[in-house]
């Protein structure tokens, strides 16, 4: 008996048994049918048009899908933008930047009217001086609340203020700098176009308003004076403003009060106070903001007690407890000579000294 589904007359001779033909394993799914190059007309189409039984279908388009093309296009645009930004970085303005001005500096020694007051305890002197309420160290140089300007963001304004503060701290509070030693910590914060002037100032100091080391930083003659207390008192302010679309300016005005004693062995152990007021003007272009450097363009310094007869160009020579100012003063200056600065010397008010 034949298997179910076999023809009544049985399996054709030579055919596979059980009705299994060689095409039974082929699956004619929808994708297979749609991919066929020949398509059979319906019976109605063949009756109406007397058309052939089949028609040839247009070949399928095997190109990339629209989504893939859009993705490739977006990747190409992003890659091109990255290359463009790498070639033209928004901060690469060196070729167009304005020349950096040299630092203009003025250092005015303040001579005491009598003997310099002293005491065995630095804290006692601070408590009985105008610096009694001053803060200690970098805490006396707080950053102001910053606001963006028309052409500079909040972060850029903060960067300028922070760099200015770093310069002030390193040039006024660093013990190694104060002792007349290293200057590199200050130098690295300067715009590269000012480094020649900075180096020239220390290699060949001059009272010309351009090359005085004491215009760049505070330092004492280590053979004469040393810090008696590392708790330096500070008070002042920082302000930032935009001068044009490519420049930020920071002005700083701070007063520093140092407790000093004689460096020589066998000298008086009494402590005296030494005051330095520094008014600095910094300038920043976009390169400076990126590199964490500054252009120091104005330095106005008043320091005392000093003797006007001493040269304060290279190092400060403080008058210590019990000392008085030497007679005499700076040599006469010709105001018609354009190559030199006018020498100045002031008087240190009694009210600026501690009451002992």
């Amino acid at each position: 008996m034949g298997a179910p589904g076999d023809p009544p007359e049985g399996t054709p001779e030579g055919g596979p048994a059980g009705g299994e033909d060689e095409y039974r394993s082929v699956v004619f799914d929808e994708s297979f049918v749609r991919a066929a190059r020949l398509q059979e007309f319906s019976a109605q189409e063949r009756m109406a048009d007397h058309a052939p039984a089949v028609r040839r279908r247009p070949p399928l388009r095997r190109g990339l899908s629209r989504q893939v093309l859009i993705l490739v296009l977006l990747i190409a645009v992003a890659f091109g933008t990255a290359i463009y930004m790498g070639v033209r970085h928004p901060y690469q303005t060196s070729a167009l930047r304005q020349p950096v001005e040299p630092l203009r500096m003025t250092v005015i020694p303040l001579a005491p009217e009598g003997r310099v007051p002293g005491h065995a305890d630095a804290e006692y002197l601070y408590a009985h001086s105008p610096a009694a309420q001053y803060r200690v160290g970098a805490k006396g140089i707080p950053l102001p609340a910053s606001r963006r300007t028309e052409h500079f963001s909040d972060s850029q304004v903060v960067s300028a203020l922070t760099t200015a503060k770093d310069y002030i701290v390193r040039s006024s509070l660093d013990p190694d700098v104060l002792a007349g030693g290293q200057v590199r910590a200050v130098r690295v914060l300067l715009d590269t176009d000012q480094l020649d002037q900075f180096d020239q100032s220390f290699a060949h100091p001059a009272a010309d308003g351009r090359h005085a080391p004491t215009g760049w930083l505070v330092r004492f003659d280590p053979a004469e004076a040393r810090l008696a207390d590392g708790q330096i008192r500070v008070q002042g302010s920082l302000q930032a403003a935009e001068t044009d679309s490519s420049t930020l300016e920071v002005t700083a005005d701070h007063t520093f009060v140092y407790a000093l004693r004689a460096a020589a062995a066998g000298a008086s152990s009494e402590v005296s106070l030494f005051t330095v007021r520094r008014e600095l003007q910094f300038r920043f272009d976009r390169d400076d903001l990126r590199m964490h450097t500054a252009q120091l363009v104005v330095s106005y310094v008043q320091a005392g007690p000093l003797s006007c007869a001493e040269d304060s160009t290279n190092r400060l020579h403080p008058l210590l407890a019990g000392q008085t100012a030497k007679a005499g003063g700076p040599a006469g200056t010709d105001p018609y000579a354009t190559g030199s600065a006018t020498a100045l010397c002031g008087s240190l008010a009694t009210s600026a000294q501690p009451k002992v």
Side-chain angles (χ1 to χ4, degrees), residues 239-258:
Q239 293 183 339
E242 177 182 315
T243 57
D244 57 49
S245 61
S246 61
T247 309
L248 275 175
E249 193 169 272
V250 174
T251 55
D253 185 354
H254 294 86
T255 300
F256 304 85
V257 185
Y258 307 87

Side-chain angles (χ1 to χ4, degrees), residues 331-344:
T333 301
D334 181 3
Y336 293 94
T338 58
S340 61
T342 301
L344 298 172

